[in-house]
Amino acid sequence: DGGITQSPKYLFRKEGQNVTLSCEQNLNHDAMYWYRQDPGQGLRLIYYSQIVNDFQKGDIAEGYSVSREKKESFPLTVTSAQKNPTAFYLCASSIDLADWVEQYFGPGTRLTVT
Amino acid sequence: GEDVEQSLFLSVREGDSSVINCTYTDSSSTYLYWYKQEPGAGLQLLTYIFSNMDMKQDQRLTVLLNKKDKHLSLRIADTQTGDSAIYFCAESFLQGGKLIFGQGTELSVKP
């Protein structure tokens, strides 16, 4: 079955530690995205990537970093510089970056930093 | 700027129709979408409408777009308990890549 996997489902970290969230897709999609979801707020775009070895900042990139070394994988690192990292993180992918395409979402990772 | 607004909660009885509303500010959007999120899960695309259309119907779902008022709605006919979820409207733009999401409307369906 094709889809997007995110692991782990729940992640707990101490303040001051970097943490990397995994996102893998086997849909052969070129474009991948990271969103952050907070209660009562819509999804906000952190980073997106159109193609391997290329990525762009979204609306709230500060305190986050990404890499795109393989088409299938787009890991997100939440650094200690991110002031409020506790949130639900969603990864998505689409065939390309066109405006009409459907974005397919993974099941999400809930990160709690204490 | 880009802003999408939704009311946060809606409660209906099973079998009734649900209408979820969304307003947006940027009229340059090309497509508008409705996504569904079940508890603890990712988002699933329900339907979308091209910005030149007024209405789109897909089984129990009807999308209405009033471009003049920048208002989008999703009507779910014969709402079932399985429809309980958070519904997000979103818009995309010609340059692609970016979806702007509303805050989500939590639909609660009571038996």
Side-chain angles (χ1 to χ4, degrees):
Chain A
D1 282 330
I4 300 178
T5 55
Q6 291 185 244
S7 59
K9 193 169 175 65
Y10 299 96
L11 194 52
F12 298 88
R13 280 294 183 269
K14 294 285 187 192
E15 200 173 311
Q17 293 178 337
N18 290 356
V19 58
T20 297
L21 280 60
S22 163
C23 177
E24 304 277 330
Q25 53 100 357
N26 61 4
L27 299 166
N28 200 31
H29 285 172
D30 281 325
M32 296 187 74
Y33 314 78
W34 273 106
Y35 292 91
R36 171 186 171 131
Q37 184 179 15
D38 295 282
Q41 296 193 41
L43 278 66
R44 292 180 289 167
L45 183 64
I46 305 172
Y47 268 98
Y48 63 101
S49 167
Q50 185 172 6
I51 201 166
V52 173
N53 292 325
D54 177 73
F55 46 84
Q56 306 293 330
K57 290 182 180 180
D59 297 321
I60 55 163
E62 187 175 344
Y64 299 98
S65 66
V66 292
S67 62
R68 186 88 188 274
E69 294 174 6
K70 297 187 299 182
K71 188 175 185 177
E72 305 79 28
S73 179
F74 191 41
L76 173 75
T77 297
V78 184
T79 75
S80 55
Q82 167 49 235
K83 290 182 175 44
N84 188 16
T86 294
F88 190 49
Y89 291 87
L90 287 159
C91 177
S93 72
S94 60
I95 295 171
D96 58 30
L97 274 189
D99 58 334
W100 53 269
V101 296
E102 176 178 356
Q103 290 190 17
Y104 292 80
F105 284 80
T109 292
R110 188 166 297 280
L111 173 66
T112 303
V113 176
T114 56
Chain B
E2 307 146 342
D3 197 16
V4 179
E5 297 279 337
Q6 298 177 242
S7 53
L8 293 182
F9 300 101
L10 177 65
S11 181
V12 300
R13 291 265 176 219
E14 193 173 19
D16 288 350
S17 291
S18 309
V19 179
I20 302 171
N21 294 301
C22 173
T23 57
Y24 57 96
T25 56
D26 193 331
S27 56
S28 67
S29 54
T30 50
Y31 288 85
L32 294 116
Y33 303 79
W34 284 104
Y35 278 84
K36 176 182 180 182
Q37 183 182 35
E38 296 187 358
L43 277 66
Q44 174 196 357
L45 180 65
L46 282 180
T47 186
Y48 66 94
I49 188 168
F50 183 48
S51 57
N52 275 355
M53 295 170 63
D54 298 325
M55 185 182 94
K56 181 178 179 182
Q57 186 147 7
D58 184 1
Q59 299 181 336
R60 291 192 298 124
L61 306 178
T62 303
V63 179
L64 294 177
L65 176 60
N66 182 328
K67 228 184 159 176
K68 175 173 163 286
D69 294 339
K70 300 193 189 94
H71 183 265
L72 180 76
S73 68
L74 174 70
R75 179 177 180 269
I76 306 173
D78 186 25
T79 313
Q80 303 298 306
T81 53
D83 294 323
S84 293
I86 301 176
Y87 291 81
F88 291 92
C89 66
E91 54 177 347
S92 64
F93 304 88
L94 190 61
Q95 67 267 33
K98 191 172 178 174
L99 284 179
I100 304 298
F101 285 86
Q103 308 96 312
T105 298
E106 184 175 346
L107 175 65
S108 173
V109 183
K110 300 192 186 313

